[in-house]
Amino acid sequence: MDGEYDVVVLGTGLTECIISGLMSVNQKKVLHLDRNQYYGGESASLPLDQLYEKFRTGIKPPESFGRSRDYNIDLIPKFLMATGKLVKILRLTGVTRYNMKFLLIDGSYVYRKGKVYKVPATAMEVATTSLLGMFEKRYVKNLLTYVHNYDVNDPKTHENMDLTKVTMGEVYKKYGVSGDSIDFLGHSVALHPTDDYLNKPALDTVNRLKLYADSLAQYGKSPYVYPEYGLGELPQVFARLCAVYGGTYMLEKPVARIVYDDEGKVCGVESQGEVAKCKAVVGDPSYFTEKVRKVGQTIRVICILNHPVASCDNNKSFQLIIPQNQVGRKHDIYVCGTSFVHKSAPEGKYIAIVSTTVETNNPEAEVKVGLDLLNPILDRFVYVLDNYEPIEDGSKDNVFISKSYDASTHFESCADDVVSIYERLTGEKFDWSRAPPEQAEE
Amino acid sequence: MNDINPSAKPVSFKLVLLGESAVGKSSLVLRFVRGQFFEYQESTIGAAFLTQTVPLGDAVIKFEIWDTAGQERYKSLAPMYYRGAAAAIVVYDITNYDSFLRAKQWVKELQRQGNTNIVIALAGNKSDLSDKRKVDFSEASAYAEDNGILFLETSAKTAQNVNEIFVAIARKLPKDRPITDKNEIDNIIIPKVGDTRAEKPGKGCC
Ligand SMILES: Nc1nc2c(ncn2[C@@H]2O[C@H](COP(=O)(O)OP(=O)(O)O)[C@@H](O)[C@H]2O)c(=O)[nH]1
Ligand SMILES: [Mg+2]
C-alpha cells in the first residue's frame, strides 16, 4: 500500500464509497481502507451469524431461524426516495449497470391516537381516508395544491408569500391546517423528525412535500424504493465503480496513524508499518476520534419476526412513522419493515427496525410504542450509537470527515453530506447533470 | 450440436471470474471475447464487464462476464460481485501451487455463499508453461471430481481449452430460464432515466 495517492479513504460506509467512486471516475488515484473484513462499516447489511457475532459474541443463532446467509440485515434502516438525491447519484455514476435491483416499498403508514393509518397516497385516498376529518381534508388539499403549483422561478405561483422568509407555521395558518393535520403533513409527508421546522422558512418544507409527491408519482403505492439484498449493496456497487476506474481496496486493514506535515496538512496514512502518501484523507468519524464531536444518540432495535405486521395491512414491506406529538416526544419514532421479498430474511421471515433519536436515560422504553406494534417478536437486538460530526470542515488539514448516519428514514441527509464533502474536497460544485462515465466495458 | 436457430433469443447468465491475482483471469476473458492475448496484460481501466454469446443447440447463451477489477487483492472482493452469478470460473496458475490452494478456498466460498445451483468450473491456466508446472493435473482433476465441478487446463496465451471451458459451462446451465429468479416481477423497479444497462450490448467499438 505504500505509494502515492490523491486521496486515501477510511471506512467503506456508503458516504465514503460514493466519494471514492466519484474521485476515481474523476481520474484521481484512490486508496480505500477498512478495518473490518466486510464492506459497509456502520451502513453494512449483515448475515445472521455476523449479526450475532456483533451483538452476542460467542453465541450462534438458533437453527429454527434458517440459514444465516439468507439474512441481510441492515444496521442503519433507511429507504431511498424514488426521486431523491441518492437515486440521482446512482444514475449519474452509472452504477445501475451493476445489476442492482430495486423494489418498491409496499406502503407508508402513520400513527395517530393509538391507531395506524395508511398515509393517503392518491387524491382518491385523500378523499376516503379516515385519518383526516372532512374540513381538514379540504384545507390539506388546498395546501397540497399550492405546493404542487409552487415554482421558485414563477412568482405568480407564490401567492404573495416569500417562502425564504415566511415560516412553515405561518403557511399552515394561512391554509387553515392545524393540529393532527400538521403532524401528518410535517412528519409523514415532509418527513421532518422534529417540530423545529415550524419556525423556519417554509421553502425547505415545501420542497420536501414536493419530493414526497414526485417520488410517489414515480411508481405509485409508496415513495420509497429499497435494494434487493439490503442497503449493504449500495457501498459495494460504488466500491466496484471505484475499483473499475483504478482504485485500490484493502479490507481488514487497521489504521495506525494519520500523518501530517509541518504545516498541519495531512500527507499520509500509516497502517501495518507502511505509509500511503496522499494529498487528502476522507473518512467516517470512527477513524478520527479527536476531530469529531458527539451530537446525540440514536437507538435502533432490530426485530426478527415470523409474521407480517397486521397494523400495516400485513404488507411485506412498510414504513411507519410515529410523530413525536402523538407520543409526547421531541423526535419521531420510525419503523422500517422488509422481508424475504427483499432477501433481508429467508422465506417466511420479516425484519422490522424501530429507531429514534435518544431523549432519555432509558432509550429502550422510548421505542416501546413501536415495538408493541410488532408482537410477537422472535428475537431483537437493541443498540444505541453515538452520532458524531466533524469539528472542522477540512480546509486547514485536508481531512474531510463524514457525519454519522442520522435517525432519518431516507438518504437525503446522507446525500447532502456526500455533496458537501465532494465540494470541499475538490473545490468544485457538484454537477447534478454530469453524465454516467464512459463505459470502456463492452 | 444442432444448427443455430436464428430466431433464438439469447438467454443471459452472469458469469464471474475468481482466483488469485495474476493467474490470468482477465487474460482468459480477453481471449474468449476478443481473441486477444497480451504478454504484459495491464488491468484495463473501466474494462471489467464484457459479454459474449455461445450458440448451443436451439438456444443462444449470452454470458455477462464480470471481472474482479483488481478487488481480489487484499481480501476486498465484495459479495455483491458474485451475487446472482449463474456460473463462476475459478482460476489458478499451474506454475503456482499457492494459487491452487486459494482456488480451493474460492470454490468453498462459492458453495457457501453463492447461488445454490451455481455452475463452477476450475481452470488450471498457463498450461503452455508445463515445464514450470507445480500443480499436477491428476491432483486438480481429482479435487474437481470430488467437488462435482468442471475442470480443464487452459492457456489464454495459446487459446487451448478457452472456448471449451465456456461451452462446457453453457451446457450445464439450465436451458429454459436464467437461474437468477425474478421474484415478484411487478415489484421490480427498472431505473428509468440514464439507465446504462440499455446501452450495454456491445457494437464492439474497440
Ligand atoms: N504464459 C502464459 N501467461 C499468461 C497466461 N494467461 C495470463 N498470462 C500472463 O499472466 C499475467 C497476469 O494475467 P492477468 O490476466 O492480468 O491475471 P489476473 O490478475 O488474474 O487478471 C499477464 O502477464 C499475462 O500475460 C497464459 O495462459 N500463459
Ligand atoms: Mg485481472
Side-chain angles (χ1 to χ4, degrees):
Chain A
M1 80 160 219
D2 45 353
E4 284 189 39
Y5 299 87
D6 291 305
V7 49
V8 176
V9 183
L10 305 178
T12 53
L14 178 58
T15 309
E16 286 69 33
C17 286
I18 298 176
I19 293 288
S20 55
L22 289 167
M23 294 307 283
S24 188
V25 169
N26 284 357
Q27 299 182 346
K28 298 291 181 224
K29 207 171 164 208
V30 178
L31 173 66
H32 201 152
L33 312 178
D34 195 310
R35 64 168 83 84
N36 296 318
Q37 56 171 319
Y38 53 84
Y39 279 91
E42 280 185 0
S43 55
S45 305
L46 299 183
L48 198 59
D49 50 9
Q50 268 186 46
L51 192 77
Y52 266 70
E53 194 51 36
K54 184 177 171 73
F55 293 113
R56 295 178 196 158
T57 312
I59 298 176
K60 291 253 168 296
E63 252 170 41
S64 61
F65 282 17
R67 276 194 312 193
S68 164
R69 51 169 273 200
D70 291 337
Y71 287 87
N72 293 287
I73 300 179
D74 301 330
L75 295 178
I76 308 280
K78 280 181 190 295
F79 292 144
L80 289 79
M81 303 293 295
T83 58
K85 290 180 194 134
L86 182 54
V87 169
K88 291 200 175 94
I89 292 174
L90 284 163
R91 289 191 178 132
L92 63 84
T93 51
V95 292
T96 44
R97 75 174 66 123
Y98 300 140
N99 276 2
M100 273 191 92
K101 255 186 233 162
F102 287 90
L103 293 100
L104 192 57
I105 294 299
D106 288 327
S108 174
Y109 294 83
V110 60
Y111 179 97
R112 178 177 168 183
K113 299 201 168 87
K115 277 182 72 182
V116 172
Y117 297 84
K118 189 166 193 305
V119 175
T122 59
M124 184 67 166
E125 284 179 4
V126 172
T128 55
T129 182
S130 53
L131 176 64
L132 303 169
M134 219 167 53
F135 293 108
E136 289 177 295
K137 272 179 198 167
R138 185 139 42 96
Y139 302 144
V140 167
K141 208 176 132 246
N142 289 345
L143 173 57
L144 288 177
T145 306
Y146 170 71
V147 168
H148 178 78
N149 293 333
Y150 181 86
D151 174 356
V152 188
N153 302 317
D154 182 1
K156 282 199 297 282
T157 65
H158 297 186
E159 297 187 7
N160 295 324
M161 283 190 290
D162 178 354
L163 297 190
T164 62
K165 299 215 172 69
V166 177
T167 67
M168 194 61 208
E170 288 164 334
V171 172
Y172 283 140
K173 208 158 172 199
K174 173 169 169 173
Y175 282 89
V177 173
S178 62
D180 283 350
S181 299
I182 291 184
D183 268 3
F184 154 66
L185 283 173
H187 294 264
S188 63
V189 186
L191 304 172
H192 283 297
T194 69
D195 266 350
D196 295 350
Y197 77 98
L198 287 172
N199 300 315
K200 292 189 180 149
L203 186 59
D204 174 47
T205 302
V206 166
N207 283 334
R208 283 163 168 263
L209 292 170
K210 274 181 177 296
L211 173 63
Y212 189 97
D214 288 348
S215 292
L216 185 61
Q218 189 79 359
Y219 307 109
K221 277 218 287 201
S222 93
Y224 305 111
V225 296
Y226 181 84
E228 191 181 43
Y229 299 109
L231 299 174
E233 297 296 280
L234 292 165
Q236 295 180 45
V237 291
F238 288 101
R240 177 165 168 88
L241 176 73
C242 175
V244 166
Y245 285 84
T248 304
Y249 275 82
M250 295 184 182
L251 299 185
E252 268 189 288
K253 197 77 179 157
V255 172
R257 184 168 75 93
I258 316 274
V259 190
Y260 296 89
D261 67 12
D262 297 341
E263 289 160 31
K265 293 216 184 280
V266 75
C267 62
V269 172
E270 185 185 321
S271 169
Q272 297 172 329
E274 292 178 316
V275 175
K277 291 192 193 130
C278 63
K279 301 182 187 114
V281 171
V282 175
D284 76 54
S286 69
Y287 290 86
F288 307 93
T289 40
E290 61 321 325
K291 286 180 182 271
V292 294
R293 66 174 152 242
K294 190 175 152 181
V295 288
Q297 288 184 314
T298 306
I299 177 173
R300 299 181 173 97
V301 185
I302 296 170
C303 302
I304 300 175
L305 316 177
N306 57 7
H307 61 89
V309 175
S311 54
C312 295
D313 295 333
N314 287 317
N315 274 323
K316 297 189 179 72
S317 60
F318 64 88
Q319 176 173 97
L320 165 64
I321 294 180
I322 305 173
Q324 33 111 14
N325 273 335
Q326 297 290 326
V327 284
R329 295 172 48 77
K330 292 199 186 68
H331 298 87
D332 292 356
I333 298 167
Y334 303 109
V335 189
C336 285
T338 58
S339 69
F340 55 95
V341 171
H342 317 86
K343 310 254 166 73
S344 312
E347 192 68 32
K349 297 281 192 297
Y350 300 75
I351 307 293
I353 308 180
V354 186
S355 58
T356 192
T357 303
V358 173
E359 295 175 5
T360 70
N361 289 329
N362 186 1
E364 203 175 339
E366 294 183 45
V367 292
K368 184 171 181 300
V369 55
L371 293 171
D372 284 348
L373 295 166
L374 306 177
N375 283 328
I377 296 169
L378 273 188
D379 201 355
R380 72 180 78 183
F381 301 84
V382 182
Y383 63 114
V384 175
L385 284 183
D386 291 340
N387 296 337
Y388 295 99
E389 63 178 31
I391 297 167
E392 289 182 347
D393 66 5
S395 55
K396 279 194 206 132
D397 53 7
N398 292 332
V399 171
F400 304 91
I401 305 168
S402 62
K403 296 178 182 166
S404 303
Y405 301 97
D406 60 23
S408 72
T409 59
H410 52 65
F411 284 101
E412 297 307 294
S413 53
C414 168
D416 287 340
D417 199 28
V418 167
V419 169
S420 163
I421 292 172
Y422 180 89
E423 293 185 343
R424 282 178 276 139
L425 175 63
T426 62
E428 289 162 21
K429 229 121 177 83
F430 188 83
D431 179 7
W432 285 103
S433 63
R434 66 190 267 168
E438 284 266 315
Q439 196 153 348
E441 311 165 44
E442 105 178 7
Chain B
M1 245 191 284
N2 303 325
D3 283 338
I4 307 161
N5 174 356
S7 64
K9 215 169 143 241
V11 192
S12 292
F13 292 96
K14 175 174 173 179
L15 180 148
V16 296
L17 282 120
L18 290 166
E20 205 168 270
S21 192
V23 295
K25 297 181 295 301
S26 304
S27 300
L28 282 170
V29 180
L30 279 183
R31 169 59 78 187
F32 175 59
V33 176
R34 297 187 188 155
Q36 298 172 332
F37 176 77
F38 300 99
E39 205 65 57
Y40 301 98
Q41 167 65 28
E42 279 279 321
S43 57
T44 327
I45 301 280
F49 183 93
L50 294 108
T51 60
Q52 179 67 292
T53 53
V54 175
L56 195 76
D58 274 350
V60 177
I61 303 287
K62 181 178 173 194
F63 283 117
E64 296 180 346
I65 307 167
W66 290 46
D67 199 357
T68 57
Q71 284 181 296
E72 76 276 26
R73 286 174 293 161
Y74 320 117
K75 305 177 226 173
S76 63
L77 204 58
M80 66 82 50
Y81 174 73
Y82 43 86
R83 194 91 75 202
I89 303 182
V90 179
V91 187
Y92 68 91
D93 172 350
I94 65 156
T95 71
N96 175 342
Y97 196 80
D98 280 348
S99 75
F100 176 59
L101 295 178
R102 185 73 189 101
K104 289 201 219 175
Q105 284 173 16
W106 275 120
V107 171
K108 223 180 185 172
E109 172 82 3
L110 283 172
Q111 287 169 339
R112 207 167 56 91
Q113 300 284 355
N115 214 321
T116 357
N117 358 344
I118 188 165
V119 177
I120 304 176
L122 182 67
N125 192 41
K126 308 199 186 178
S127 61
D128 56 290
L129 300 178
S130 56
D131 51 327
K132 294 188 200 145
R133 174 188 290 278
K134 294 278 158 50
V135 185
D136 278 342
F137 181 90
S138 55
E139 184 182 354
S141 166
Y143 167 78
E145 196 159 322
D146 288 349
N147 284 273
I149 62 178
L150 296 164
F151 170 62
L152 281 174
E153 283 196 344
T154 58
S155 169
K157 186 169 177 175
T158 67
Q160 190 201 6
N161 280 342
V162 175
N163 272 315
E164 285 76 356
I165 201 163
F166 283 92
V167 171
I169 291 169
R171 285 217 183 91
K172 276 190 88 176
L173 289 168
K175 298 291 146 357
D176 42 348
R177 55 171 189 86
I179 290 179
T180 42
D181 57 330
K182 295 248 155 78
N183 199 351
E184 304 247 328
I185 293 251
D186 58 345
N187 237 2
I188 288 169
I189 311 286
I190 313 292
K192 286 181 181 167
V193 197
D195 176 20
T196 49
R197 267 193 283 178
E199 300 155 14
K200 200 173 52 195
K203 289 170 231 34
C205 57
C206 357

